[in-house]
Amino acid sequence: MIRFICIVVFVILFLIVTIPVLIVERILHRFNPHASDISSLRIVQWAFKVILKITGVKMTVIGEENVPDEPVLFIGNHRSYFDILLTYSRCKRVTGYIAKKEMERYLTLTSWMKRLHCLFLDRKNPKEGLKTILQAIDDIKNGISVCVFPEGTRNRGEELSMLPFRDGALKIATKTGCAIVPISMNNTAEIFENHLPKIKKTHVVVEYGKPVYPDQLDKDTKKHIGDYVENIIRETIHKNAELV
């Protein structure tokens, strides 16, 4: 419980103290957008690393060398709020995450998310959802990586289970030709969700798969690319279960 309280206090202080920083970042963005993007990325990564340090989480990271130095579409399984911290803290390039629209209500947090090119998906409005996908396509074309959890929500099922992928997000890759990098995560729900509000020291495994380029797939596989990537992640989390 002490870890939970420490994290809540840190997050509140970060969101309050960095309000002036957000103003400076907006001004910097007018003159040097890339420098502003990078500095915002590093500031948030520092905060995420502090939170992970408080949790006492131990990470085994596999295949990080598979991530190419180019804008990519990260696709991951999703069982914990900490999935975002675990993966975003390791991004080398500017990366926007696709989050549910409900996240927009959190003021300073929302401001930081927008600074980091995060997009907000209205899951109840297909027309607005399409706009989000089109914006993500533009971001990839402009050199910004995108990360999405295509299960659509956190999977509350048994460890090693997965919800069916929603194919819409994969259009970001098929329309741009960018690489898809599968992210497979084991045991992340054990940090918090399996026994909330307690936060436990936990060993998690994160594996970055080899990049999948849609244009290099055969026609049938490309047509069912969501199933293809989903199977890669499913096989990987089963393989890595023994490492936890």
Side-chain angles (χ1 to χ4, degrees):
M1 193 64 180
I2 294 176
R3 290 191 183 94
F4 177 77
I5 294 172
C6 289
I7 289 172
V8 170
V9 170
F10 175 80
V11 170
I12 292 172
L13 288 175
F14 176 83
L15 293 177
I16 293 173
V17 171
T18 59
I19 290 174
V21 179
L22 276 169
I23 296 172
V24 173
E25 289 291 338
R26 287 173 184 169
I27 295 171
L28 175 61
H29 188 77
R30 295 178 183 177
F31 299 97
N32 193 330
H34 180 69
S36 174
D37 285 348
I38 295 298
S39 61
S40 293
L41 171 66
R42 301 306 178 214
I43 290 168
V44 172
Q45 285 182 322
W46 170 81
F48 283 179
K49 289 174 182 177
V50 170
I51 294 171
L52 293 173
K53 187 74 173 178
I54 295 171
T55 67
V57 67
K58 178 184 176 183
M59 288 182 67
T60 295
V61 181
I62 303 169
E64 201 164 16
E65 69 279 0
N66 289 327
V67 182
D69 185 19
E70 61 192 52
V72 302
L73 175 65
F74 292 106
I75 295 290
N77 61 310
H78 189 30
R79 292 183 52 81
S80 172
Y81 292 118
F82 281 89
D83 295 341
I84 298 166
L85 281 73
L86 291 164
T87 54
Y88 200 78
S89 61
R90 307 192 71 85
C91 290
K92 293 180 173 62
R93 298 176 60 94
V94 177
T95 303
Y97 278 51
I98 296 182
K100 57 185 180 181
K101 188 172 179 62
E102 291 79 0
M103 292 294 293
E104 281 190 295
R105 67 182 71 163
Y106 298 115
L107 300 176
T108 309
L109 175 62
T110 301
S111 297
W112 272 113
M113 292 176 73
K114 288 180 177 179
R115 284 288 315 115
L116 297 168
H117 298 278
C118 290
L119 301 172
F120 299 93
L121 179 66
D122 187 345
R123 295 172 293 181
K124 299 177 182 179
N125 188 328
K127 186 177 180 180
E128 291 301 314
L130 177 59
K131 288 182 181 179
T132 302
I133 297 301
L134 292 175
Q135 180 59 57
I137 290 171
D138 284 343
D139 285 348
I140 290 285
K141 291 178 179 178
N142 290 323
I144 300 164
S145 292
V146 174
C147 182
V148 63
F149 302 115
E151 290 170 286
T153 187
R154 284 185 301 111
N155 174 16
R156 296 171 174 83
E158 296 294 324
E159 181 71 20
L160 303 184
S161 69
M162 288 177 61
L163 300 175
F165 275 16
R166 301 181 181 186
D167 284 344
L170 278 298
K171 292 179 181 178
I172 299 168
T174 56
K175 295 295 185 181
T176 61
C178 76
I180 300 169
V181 177
I183 306 178
S184 308
M185 291 175 278
N186 289 71
N187 208 36
T188 59
E190 190 60 23
I191 300 173
F192 179 56
E193 283 78 8
N194 287 351
H195 38 71
L196 52 87
K198 185 179 180 181
I199 290 177
K200 289 177 59 178
K201 287 186 177 181
T202 303
H203 177 218
V204 302
V205 180
V206 178
E207 179 163 346
Y208 295 84
K210 293 182 179 180
V212 176
Y213 288 91
D215 293 341
Q216 296 178 5
L217 300 174
D218 62 70
K219 185 176 180 180
D220 187 61
T221 303
K222 186 176 181 179
K223 184 178 179 180
H224 301 96
I225 195 168
D227 292 338
Y228 180 73
V229 177
E230 181 182 345
N231 286 333
I232 290 174
I233 294 175
R234 179 178 288 105
E235 290 173 3
T236 305
I237 62 174
H238 278 81
K239 171 181 71 72
N240 291 338
E242 62 184 24
L243 300 178
V244 173

